[in-house]
Amino acid sequence: PSFLAVHWRHGTSMHKDSAELVEDVHNILKKYDFKPERIFLSSNCQEPEDLAVLEKELALPVSQFQDPSFAPWQRALIDMIVASEAPYFVPSSYSSSFAKTILFHRVKGNRAIEQTK
């Protein structure tokens, strides 16, 4: 199944709010005429209301890897691997170490790198 990987650093002024992130996602989908079945979201957001708003605005099902049997660092590593292998990846910030690591692995794996705003 096709999916779009999205990283959303939540709760800091240095990163995009949900409206900006949704705009970036829609721009990528339109630019590449990409119609994923779902969004794979990597985020530190712990607010169910904010996640629900994001999913509603994206108009696609949103999946996250949240298995509690894994330590937080292990879940982050799995998120990075999934995002590195996704057909497309939308970071919330190019200054994020998390996003930079994903982008590095995407370049090494010859995956698409898309600059947004």
Side-chain angles (χ1 to χ4, degrees), residues 4-10 15-16 21 25 39-44 54 79 83 89-94 96-100 102:
L4 174 71
V6 176
H7 172 236
W8 184 32
R9 178 81 171 132
H10 180 262
H15 298 86
K16 296 174 183 168
L21 186 61
V25 167
I39 301 290
F40 178 80
L41 179 65
S42 179
S43 180
N44 66 327
L54 183 67
D79 283 358
F89 170 63
V90 179
S92 64
S93 168
Y94 288 95
S96 159
S97 297
F98 190 86
K100 284 179 183 177
I102 293 167

